[in-house]
Amino acid sequence: MDDNKIIKFERPKPKKEAKPVSPTQRKALIWLALVAALIGVWSYYQFVAPPNLPGH
């Protein structure tokens, strides 16, 4: 008999549950994001933005 035509029902593998993030880790991530945003804004105005020349 050809096995290609037989449907095999298999139990799905259990999904791993996501670990909840501790409050300390959450605060650290928020502070890290804020510092990264400030560095990004500073570097934009320092290196990318056109200079603000008086009289133009």
Side-chain angles (χ1 to χ4, degrees):
M1 189 172 234
D2 191 11
D3 285 341
N4 292 337
K5 295 181 182 179
I6 297 174
I7 298 175
K8 296 179 182 178
F9 293 98
E10 296 178 3
R11 179 173 286 173
K13 296 179 182 177
K15 295 180 180 177
K16 293 183 179 179
E17 295 182 16
K19 293 172 110 179
V21 179
S22 70
T24 305
Q25 289 176 337
R26 185 180 304 273
K27 287 180 184 178
L29 286 173
I30 290 172
W31 278 106
L32 187 64
L34 287 173
V35 169
L38 288 174
I39 291 172
V41 169
W42 173 82
S43 62
Y44 170 77
Y45 283 108
Q46 188 70 26
F47 302 112
V48 179
N52 189 7
L53 300 176
H56 285 196

